[in-house]
Amino acid sequence: MNRIADGTRLLFTGLALAFALLISLLAADTGQAKAPVEEYGLYPSTTQAGGHPDVKIKFKVGNRRSQGFPDPCFCNDPKDIIVNLPQGFIGNPHVTPQCTAEQFALGKCPIDSQVGMIAVLIYDRPGENNGGFLVQPIFNMEPPPGTPGLLAFAPSLGPAQYIYLKARTGGDFGLTATVTGLQRVAPVLEILQYMWGVPADPVHDLYRGYYDICQAGEVESFFDANEMPVGSCGSASNTPRPSSSPLLPFLSNPTVCSGPLQATLETTSFDKGTDEGSTTYPAITGCGQLTFNPSLSAKPTTIETDAASGLDIDLSVPQIQSAFTPSPSQIKKTVLTLPEGFSINPNAADGKTVCRDDEANFGSEGPAECPDFSKVGSTVIDSSALPGPIGGYLYLGEPLPGDRYRLILTAEGFATNIKLSGSIKPDPETGRLVTTFDNLPQSPLTEFNLHVFGAERGVLATPTRCGTYAVQSTFTPWNDVLPEQSATQFFTLDSGPVGSACPGDPRPLAPTFTASSAGNTGGAHSPFAIELSREDGSQNLSGLTVKTPPGFSATLKGVSYCPETALDRLNGPGYSGVGELASSACPANSQIGTATGGAGVGSRPLYVPGKVYLAGPYKGAPLSLVVVIPAVSGPYDLGNVAVRAAISVDPETAQVTAISDPLPRILEGILLRTRFLQVKLDRPGFALNPTNCDPFTVEAIVTGTEGSTATRGSDYQAANCARLPFAPKLALKLTGSTKQAGNPALTATLTAKPGEANISRAKVTLPPTELVDNAHIRNICTRVQFNEGNTPGEKCPPGTILGFAKANTSLLDKPLEGPIYLRSTGRAGLPDVVAALNGQIDIVLVGHIDSVQRRLRTTFESVPDAPVTKVVLKFYGGERGLIENSPRLCAHAQHFTAAITGQNGKTLNRRPVLSTPCGKKQKHKARAHHERGSRR
């Protein structure tokens, strides 16, 4: 930040003028490729760091034109001169009045605008060294538009000479003095220039407005190498003329004790191309005598907690403007550390672009051309070296590896274009922000004001609690003898968001939760969505559990899983959000929906689209889904937010429960402050509505980052269920023994057509000929045993298995199948028969056995509301058979009764024939046996 003023101050240094003036008069010898520089030196009156020296500049060159100059030659005479002075030598043009062009033309420049003297040694006769030094003043001129600084003198031979001054804002911000379009004048042997460190000092009174001719032998007494001029030369005399300006320094030494320092020059001649040269400035001393006392204040643009905010920064650097006191050290590095919780607002970059380095014109002295949409702040800089404050803007810089959050600071004014680069480093664990502007050039900055924009998309977000917060600043001086300076100042937040009261501890957790299907027709496929949101000032969201209503299901058939290798890639470092947007890590066939995440404070959070994928078993659940949201906003790519949720299915009700992993709180140092989450299962033919149109609730449990839990529910009800057909068919078949007390095998087959209402309850009553064989109830699986293991019934003793079940459903690629167990019931009476249907998911069908009117009855009280095309239950016969014949089975045709209720309330009561293995002969014998028994 401090480099801005530096550039403009350096523009006006008198030393640069000295170089430019002297070199501009150099020319070449007729027989030489270039004029040899016999002497080129800088001689300050003091090397005190920050001191204000008078500086003598001396050039001595060889004879350029031994043949005289009646016919001008192209003898490598210079056309353009560029002088690059060392960084850190400062000039302040505002300590003297500036001479106007009109005044200069009339020879009436104010004596107070004089900043030094120049003497040029020339020939006045061809081939003879009998010339003299032309001595005259150097004036601080009023620069024309587009020129940062200007100095001038009026040589006796030729036109007035102007020196154009500018800062090397495309490089080290040192001063460059340029003379262009030089004219050929009389040959020059030697040039002496004397620039005044304090122009108003009375020691210069004798030489204000002084013009004279000094003989060659007198010049050294006039311009002594290390002291002030000691007297006039020739016959001229001058009356002392005191200055009416204050005693303020025009020149100041660098404040870094290093050196000698180098100054370079570049010349372009009329006929011999370019040439380069250099000289040195003596090493600086006395750095321990300098002061360094900057101060900084910073505060948000709001007093509200958990709110979008800008930042106002005021940097002050005391500058001593004294002729006899060294200038303070300049700032080399500034570090600003904001309090924890004061973070980058996730929505700050939404709709923004960046300013590329080539658009900022780094390396060039032209103005920055940053896009307006990259602008995030404004700045005003003031310096004692400037005619007035200059303004500029703060832009988002193009991210670089290891330096994502770059800043570009610009300022323009007084024909000077400043471009500086800084960076913000958020702590990856806490999000705490450290802003650094490093390697700033030496600059006598006095005031720097930076305003980072606030409003609803403010770059920053305030901490979540009221209180007083510390802002820490560290300043590193260019003068490495002096210690770093640190300061701490405070700001206070005393309101909740939008003027509400300060939040308590913990903050409230009051999320809004909704769930709905796009279409609610019973039994139809329709996209299903949940939405979770919260307001500023409430706890951040950390987790979500959702339980769907009975009958809500999904068609997994034909859907692949996103493999674990892809999930590892999504959560791994180095995988970009842009890369995920271009080509997802998960297969396209595993996508089951879309998602939207919202983050950031204020009324305009950042909304980022994402996708939802089906994945395999996770944390003990048979399925999982992964919500993937590429964290790309404006110019920033923070990778991907991938949150996995375990999907469990209630074995008895088929209700789905999704339990998310913890939602990320911070990503790449950005506190996400999640505000909104929508998950939409919108794959065609995926989400399936219930066939039961009773009112239900989608239940949600939301957890907050401060330990609170909130329970929410969203009404859910399908429609038009009564219109669904309901016509399932049930067939029972006995095989094996038909004798009395025999134990036949039993097969029950249920079939249903797609598009029908699903079964909710089934009651099957066998004919009186079939009873329970109590002698075969040897082992019963306890409910505890049944629920142990990875799948239902896995831990049941083998002797409790009664048979095998298989179910086909349009929801899955493969049937569900598994053993039928004899399991203890929670009530008095016979144990239950339980079919453990295992596969991609696990379903348990529980049949309660009892007797009604001496007939064996099995009731499935609660059948999951899921489409089943065929269910087959095969019960063993023989020694493992649960039922026995009483009396003979084949006496006459046997009927069973079936009462089946649909999820839509429709019922079917049927009395089908029980299929038996009885042939005609067996039936005749059984009937005869039955009739004999009746007669007896």
Side-chain angles (χ1 to χ4, degrees), residues 721-722 724-728 757-763 898-910:
C721 296
L724 296 174
F726 183 68
N758 300 320
I759 297 171
S760 68
R761 188 173 186 268
K763 185 184 296 184
I900 306 175
T901 305
Q903 294 284 348
N904 62 353
K906 292 183 179 181
T907 60
L908 289 176
N909 293 295
R910 297 289 187 264

PDB file of all heavy atoms in Angstrom, residues 721-722 724-728 757-763 898-910:
ATOM      1  N   CYS A 721     -55.483 -42.360  -5.010  1.00  0.00           N
ATOM      2  CA  CYS A 721     -55.169 -43.769  -4.777  1.00  0.00           C
ATOM      3  C   CYS A 721     -56.376 -44.667  -5.046  1.00  0.00           C
ATOM      4  O   CYS A 721     -56.231 -45.830  -5.469  1.00  0.00           O
ATOM      5  CB  CYS A 721     -54.684 -43.971  -3.346  1.00  0.00           C
ATOM      6  SG  CYS A 721     -53.123 -43.125  -2.971  1.00  0.00           S
ATOM      7  N   ALA A 722     -57.581 -44.171  -4.772  1.00  0.00           N
ATOM      8  CA  ALA A 722     -58.775 -45.003  -4.958  1.00  0.00           C
ATOM      9  C   ALA A 722     -58.965 -45.413  -6.407  1.00  0.00           C
ATOM     10  O   ALA A 722     -59.678 -46.399  -6.693  1.00  0.00           O
ATOM     11  CB  ALA A 722     -59.999 -44.248  -4.446  1.00  0.00           C
ATOM     12  N   LEU A 724     -56.703 -46.569  -8.296  1.00  0.00           N
ATOM     13  CA  LEU A 724     -55.796 -47.645  -8.648  1.00  0.00           C
ATOM     14  C   LEU A 724     -56.507 -48.982  -8.584  1.00  0.00           C
ATOM     15  O   LEU A 724     -57.260 -49.263  -7.642  1.00  0.00           O
ATOM     16  CB  LEU A 724     -54.588 -47.662  -7.690  1.00  0.00           C
ATOM     17  CG  LEU A 724     -53.665 -46.439  -7.733  1.00  0.00           C
ATOM     18  CD1 LEU A 724     -52.620 -46.535  -6.628  1.00  0.00           C
ATOM     19  CD2 LEU A 724     -52.991 -46.326  -9.092  1.00  0.00           C
ATOM     20  N   PRO A 725     -56.314 -49.849  -9.562  1.00  0.00           N
ATOM     21  CA  PRO A 725     -56.903 -51.184  -9.494  1.00  0.00           C
ATOM     22  C   PRO A 725     -56.239 -52.002  -8.399  1.00  0.00           C
ATOM     23  O   PRO A 725     -55.111 -51.713  -7.977  1.00  0.00           O
ATOM     24  CB  PRO A 725     -56.626 -51.758 -10.881  1.00  0.00           C
ATOM     25  CG  PRO A 725     -55.416 -51.019 -11.374  1.00  0.00           C
ATOM     26  CD  PRO A 725     -55.522 -49.639 -10.796  1.00  0.00           C
ATOM     27  N   PHE A 726     -56.949 -53.054  -7.961  1.00  0.00           N
ATOM     28  CA  PHE A 726     -56.392 -53.922  -6.931  1.00  0.00           C
ATOM     29  C   PHE A 726     -56.931 -55.323  -7.170  1.00  0.00           C
ATOM     30  O   PHE A 726     -58.100 -55.606  -6.897  1.00  0.00           O
ATOM     31  CB  PHE A 726     -56.780 -53.422  -5.531  1.00  0.00           C
ATOM     32  CG  PHE A 726     -56.174 -54.225  -4.420  1.00  0.00           C
ATOM     33  CD1 PHE A 726     -54.807 -54.206  -4.192  1.00  0.00           C
ATOM     34  CD2 PHE A 726     -56.976 -55.020  -3.595  1.00  0.00           C
ATOM     35  CE1 PHE A 726     -54.245 -54.952  -3.172  1.00  0.00           C
ATOM     36  CE2 PHE A 726     -56.415 -55.750  -2.560  1.00  0.00           C
ATOM     37  CZ  PHE A 726     -55.049 -55.724  -2.348  1.00  0.00           C
ATOM     38  N   ALA A 727     -56.114 -56.182  -7.704  1.00  0.00           N
ATOM     39  CA  ALA A 727     -56.573 -57.533  -8.035  1.00  0.00           C
ATOM     40  C   ALA A 727     -55.459 -58.545  -7.934  1.00  0.00           C
ATOM     41  O   ALA A 727     -55.137 -59.263  -8.894  1.00  0.00           O
ATOM     42  CB  ALA A 727     -57.172 -57.557  -9.430  1.00  0.00           C
ATOM     43  N   PRO A 728     -54.788 -58.654  -6.791  1.00  0.00           N
ATOM     44  CA  PRO A 728     -53.749 -59.673  -6.645  1.00  0.00           C
ATOM     45  C   PRO A 728     -54.367 -61.072  -6.605  1.00  0.00           C
ATOM     46  O   PRO A 728     -55.534 -61.247  -6.293  1.00  0.00           O
ATOM     47  CB  PRO A 728     -53.092 -59.309  -5.321  1.00  0.00           C
ATOM     48  CG  PRO A 728     -54.157 -58.648  -4.538  1.00  0.00           C
ATOM     49  CD  PRO A 728     -54.986 -57.886  -5.542  1.00  0.00           C
ATOM     50  N   ALA A 757     -52.609 -51.010  -6.828  1.00  0.00           N
ATOM     51  CA  ALA A 757     -52.302 -50.618  -5.458  1.00  0.00           C
ATOM     52  C   ALA A 757     -51.556 -51.763  -4.787  1.00  0.00           C
ATOM     53  O   ALA A 757     -51.805 -52.944  -5.063  1.00  0.00           O
ATOM     54  CB  ALA A 757     -53.575 -50.286  -4.699  1.00  0.00           C
ATOM     55  N   ASN A 758     -50.663 -51.415  -3.901  1.00  0.00           N
ATOM     56  CA  ASN A 758     -49.894 -52.429  -3.194  1.00  0.00           C
ATOM     57  C   ASN A 758     -50.702 -52.990  -2.034  1.00  0.00           C
ATOM     58  O   ASN A 758     -51.670 -52.385  -1.556  1.00  0.00           O
ATOM     59  CB  ASN A 758     -48.579 -51.836  -2.694  1.00  0.00           C
ATOM     60  CG  ASN A 758     -47.723 -51.302  -3.823  1.00  0.00           C
ATOM     61  OD1 ASN A 758     -47.642 -51.920  -4.885  1.00  0.00           O
ATOM     62  ND2 ASN A 758     -47.100 -50.147  -3.595  1.00  0.00           N
ATOM     63  N   ILE A 759     -50.315 -54.156  -1.561  1.00  0.00           N
ATOM     64  CA  ILE A 759     -51.004 -54.838  -0.457  1.00  0.00           C
ATOM     65  C   ILE A 759     -50.602 -54.195   0.854  1.00  0.00           C
ATOM     66  O   ILE A 759     -49.419 -53.890   1.082  1.00  0.00           O
ATOM     67  CB  ILE A 759     -50.667 -56.331  -0.465  1.00  0.00           C
ATOM     68  CG1 ILE A 759     -51.171 -56.981  -1.763  1.00  0.00           C
ATOM     69  CG2 ILE A 759     -51.246 -57.033   0.761  1.00  0.00           C
ATOM     70  CD1 ILE A 759     -50.711 -58.392  -1.952  1.00  0.00           C
ATOM     71  N   SER A 760     -51.549 -53.995   1.713  1.00  0.00           N
ATOM     72  CA  SER A 760     -51.246 -53.477   3.045  1.00  0.00           C
ATOM     73  C   SER A 760     -51.458 -54.545   4.126  1.00  0.00           C
ATOM     74  O   SER A 760     -50.794 -54.513   5.161  1.00  0.00           O
ATOM     75  CB  SER A 760     -52.108 -52.259   3.361  1.00  0.00           C
ATOM     76  OG  SER A 760     -53.462 -52.631   3.495  1.00  0.00           O
ATOM     77  N   ARG A 761     -52.371 -55.514   3.869  1.00  0.00           N
ATOM     78  CA  ARG A 761     -52.681 -56.522   4.895  1.00  0.00           C
ATOM     79  C   ARG A 761     -53.187 -57.778   4.186  1.00  0.00           C
ATOM     80  O   ARG A 761     -53.926 -57.695   3.206  1.00  0.00           O
ATOM     81  CB  ARG A 761     -53.751 -56.002   5.849  1.00  0.00           C
ATOM     82  CG  ARG A 761     -54.041 -56.858   7.064  1.00  0.00           C
ATOM     83  CD  ARG A 761     -55.002 -56.104   7.983  1.00  0.00           C
ATOM     84  NE  ARG A 761     -55.224 -56.806   9.226  1.00  0.00           N
ATOM     85  CZ  ARG A 761     -56.223 -57.678   9.428  1.00  0.00           C
ATOM     86  NH1 ARG A 761     -57.091 -57.946   8.447  1.00  0.00           N
ATOM     87  NH2 ARG A 761     -56.356 -58.266  10.602  1.00  0.00           N
ATOM     88  N   ALA A 762     -52.782 -58.907   4.696  1.00  0.00           N
ATOM     89  CA  ALA A 762     -53.227 -60.177   4.121  1.00  0.00           C
ATOM     90  C   ALA A 762     -53.524 -61.167   5.246  1.00  0.00           C
ATOM     91  O   ALA A 762     -52.724 -61.298   6.184  1.00  0.00           O
ATOM     92  CB  ALA A 762     -52.176 -60.732   3.175  1.00  0.00           C
ATOM     93  N   LYS A 763     -54.660 -61.854   5.095  1.00  0.00           N
ATOM     94  CA  LYS A 763     -55.065 -62.842   6.106  1.00  0.00           C
ATOM     95  C   LYS A 763     -55.446 -64.119   5.359  1.00  0.00           C
ATOM     96  O   LYS A 763     -56.329 -64.121   4.492  1.00  0.00           O
ATOM     97  CB  LYS A 763     -56.241 -62.335   6.920  1.00  0.00           C
ATOM     98  CG  LYS A 763     -56.649 -63.254   8.066  1.00  0.00           C
ATOM     99  CD  LYS A 763     -57.890 -62.722   8.762  1.00  0.00           C
ATOM    100  CE  LYS A 763     -57.599 -61.373   9.406  1.00  0.00           C
ATOM    101  NZ  LYS A 763     -58.781 -60.890  10.170  1.00  0.00           N
ATOM    102  N   ALA A 898     -58.914 -66.195   1.753  1.00  0.00           N
ATOM    103  CA  ALA A 898     -57.913 -65.131   1.710  1.00  0.00           C
ATOM    104  C   ALA A 898     -58.627 -63.789   1.757  1.00  0.00           C
ATOM    105  O   ALA A 898     -59.509 -63.533   0.938  1.00  0.00           O
ATOM    106  CB  ALA A 898     -57.069 -65.236   0.461  1.00  0.00           C
ATOM    107  N   ALA A 899     -58.271 -62.980   2.727  1.00  0.00           N
ATOM    108  CA  ALA A 899     -58.778 -61.608   2.837  1.00  0.00           C
ATOM    109  C   ALA A 899     -57.588 -60.669   2.666  1.00  0.00           C
ATOM    110  O   ALA A 899     -56.707 -60.602   3.536  1.00  0.00           O
ATOM    111  CB  ALA A 899     -59.464 -61.394   4.170  1.00  0.00           C
ATOM    112  N   ILE A 900     -57.549 -59.944   1.556  1.00  0.00           N
ATOM    113  CA  ILE A 900     -56.390 -59.094   1.219  1.00  0.00           C
ATOM    114  C   ILE A 900     -56.878 -57.657   1.096  1.00  0.00           C
ATOM    115  O   ILE A 900     -57.857 -57.388   0.392  1.00  0.00           O
ATOM    116  CB  ILE A 900     -55.729 -59.557  -0.081  1.00  0.00           C
ATOM    117  CG1 ILE A 900     -55.363 -61.049  -0.002  1.00  0.00           C
ATOM    118  CG2 ILE A 900     -54.491 -58.737  -0.372  1.00  0.00           C
ATOM    119  CD1 ILE A 900     -54.813 -61.611  -1.291  1.00  0.00           C
ATOM    120  N   THR A 901     -56.172 -56.769   1.750  1.00  0.00           N
ATOM    121  CA  THR A 901     -56.519 -55.343   1.731  1.00  0.00           C
ATOM    122  C   THR A 901     -55.423 -54.568   1.028  1.00  0.00           C
ATOM    123  O   THR A 901     -54.233 -54.775   1.292  1.00  0.00           O
ATOM    124  CB  THR A 901     -56.706 -54.800   3.160  1.00  0.00           C
ATOM    125  OG1 THR A 901     -57.679 -55.591   3.843  1.00  0.00           O
ATOM    126  CG2 THR A 901     -57.126 -53.350   3.138  1.00  0.00           C
ATOM    127  N   GLY A 902     -55.833 -53.663   0.147  1.00  0.00           N
ATOM    128  CA  GLY A 902     -54.871 -52.840  -0.570  1.00  0.00           C
ATOM    129  C   GLY A 902     -54.508 -51.579   0.204  1.00  0.00           C
ATOM    130  O   GLY A 902     -55.238 -51.127   1.103  1.00  0.00           O
ATOM    131  N   GLN A 903     -53.401 -50.990  -0.151  1.00  0.00           N
ATOM    132  CA  GLN A 903     -52.978 -49.742   0.488  1.00  0.00           C
ATOM    133  C   GLN A 903     -53.984 -48.624   0.221  1.00  0.00           C
ATOM    134  O   GLN A 903     -54.056 -47.668   1.005  1.00  0.00           O
ATOM    135  CB  GLN A 903     -51.588 -49.339  -0.030  1.00  0.00           C
ATOM    136  CG  GLN A 903     -50.459 -50.273   0.357  1.00  0.00           C
ATOM    137  CD  GLN A 903     -50.028 -50.121   1.794  1.00  0.00           C
ATOM    138  OE1 GLN A 903     -50.412 -49.167   2.480  1.00  0.00           O
ATOM    139  NE2 GLN A 903     -49.240 -51.069   2.274  1.00  0.00           N
ATOM    140  N   ASN A 904     -54.771 -48.770  -0.827  1.00  0.00           N
ATOM    141  CA  ASN A 904     -55.778 -47.759  -1.136  1.00  0.00           C
ATOM    142  C   ASN A 904     -57.120 -48.047  -0.481  1.00  0.00           C
ATOM    143  O   ASN A 904     -58.117 -47.382  -0.773  1.00  0.00           O
ATOM    144  CB  ASN A 904     -55.942 -47.609  -2.644  1.00  0.00           C
ATOM    145  CG  ASN A 904     -56.422 -48.889  -3.291  1.00  0.00           C
ATOM    146  OD1 ASN A 904     -56.519 -49.930  -2.637  1.00  0.00           O
ATOM    147  ND2 ASN A 904     -56.735 -48.831  -4.589  1.00  0.00           N
ATOM    148  N   GLY A 905     -57.167 -49.070   0.390  1.00  0.00           N
ATOM    149  CA  GLY A 905     -58.395 -49.393   1.119  1.00  0.00           C
ATOM    150  C   GLY A 905     -59.270 -50.431   0.464  1.00  0.00           C
ATOM    151  O   GLY A 905     -60.221 -50.920   1.081  1.00  0.00           O
ATOM    152  N   LYS A 906     -58.991 -50.780  -0.780  1.00  0.00           N
ATOM    153  CA  LYS A 906     -59.801 -51.808  -1.434  1.00  0.00           C
ATOM    154  C   LYS A 906     -59.482 -53.171  -0.830  1.00  0.00           C
ATOM    155  O   LYS A 906     -58.346 -53.437  -0.435  1.00  0.00           O
ATOM    156  CB  LYS A 906     -59.517 -51.816  -2.936  1.00  0.00           C
ATOM    157  CG  LYS A 906     -60.012 -50.577  -3.670  1.00  0.00           C
ATOM    158  CD  LYS A 906     -59.766 -50.671  -5.165  1.00  0.00           C
ATOM    159  CE  LYS A 906     -60.295 -49.425  -5.883  1.00  0.00           C
ATOM    160  NZ  LYS A 906     -60.075 -49.506  -7.368  1.00  0.00           N
ATOM    161  N   THR A 907     -60.523 -54.078  -0.786  1.00  0.00           N
ATOM    162  CA  THR A 907     -60.343 -55.406  -0.196  1.00  0.00           C
ATOM    163  C   THR A 907     -60.784 -56.477  -1.177  1.00  0.00           C
ATOM    164  O   THR A 907     -61.660 -56.283  -2.027  1.00  0.00           O
ATOM    165  CB  THR A 907     -61.150 -55.541   1.106  1.00  0.00           C
ATOM    166  OG1 THR A 907     -62.538 -55.351   0.818  1.00  0.00           O
ATOM    167  CG2 THR A 907     -60.695 -54.507   2.138  1.00  0.00           C
ATOM    168  N   LEU A 908     -60.153 -57.611  -1.016  1.00  0.00           N
ATOM    169  CA  LEU A 908     -60.515 -58.804  -1.781  1.00  0.00           C
ATOM    170  C   LEU A 908     -60.735 -59.963  -0.806  1.00  0.00           C
ATOM    171  O   LEU A 908     -59.876 -60.211   0.051  1.00  0.00           O
ATOM    172  CB  LEU A 908     -59.401 -59.181  -2.766  1.00  0.00           C
ATOM    173  CG  LEU A 908     -59.182 -58.280  -3.978  1.00  0.00           C
ATOM    174  CD1 LEU A 908     -57.986 -58.780  -4.767  1.00  0.00           C
ATOM    175  CD2 LEU A 908     -60.418 -58.248  -4.851  1.00  0.00           C
ATOM    176  N   ASN A 909     -61.874 -60.638  -0.912  1.00  0.00           N
ATOM    177  CA  ASN A 909     -62.149 -61.824  -0.105  1.00  0.00           C
ATOM    178  C   ASN A 909     -62.355 -62.987  -1.069  1.00  0.00           C
ATOM    179  O   ASN A 909     -63.284 -62.987  -1.879  1.00  0.00           O
ATOM    180  CB  ASN A 909     -63.388 -61.620   0.764  1.00  0.00           C
ATOM    181  CG  ASN A 909     -63.137 -60.562   1.832  1.00  0.00           C
ATOM    182  OD1 ASN A 909     -62.305 -60.752   2.707  1.00  0.00           O
ATOM    183  ND2 ASN A 909     -63.851 -59.446   1.750  1.00  0.00           N
ATOM    184  N   ARG A 910     -61.503 -63.956  -0.966  1.00  0.00           N
ATOM    185  CA  ARG A 910     -61.561 -65.075  -1.880  1.00  0.00           C
ATOM    186  C   ARG A 910     -61.567 -66.393  -1.101  1.00  0.00           C
ATOM    187  O   ARG A 910     -61.072 -66.467   0.031  1.00  0.00           O
ATOM    188  CB  ARG A 910     -60.350 -65.058  -2.833  1.00  0.00           C
ATOM    189  CG  ARG A 910     -60.283 -63.855  -3.742  1.00  0.00           C
ATOM    190  CD  ARG A 910     -61.368 -63.901  -4.812  1.00  0.00           C
ATOM    191  NE  ARG A 910     -61.200 -62.834  -5.792  1.00  0.00           N
ATOM    192  CZ  ARG A 910     -61.838 -61.685  -5.715  1.00  0.00           C
ATOM    193  NH1 ARG A 910     -62.692 -61.467  -4.716  1.00  0.00           N
ATOM    194  NH2 ARG A 910     -61.648 -60.759  -6.639  1.00  0.00           N
TER     195      ARG A 910
END
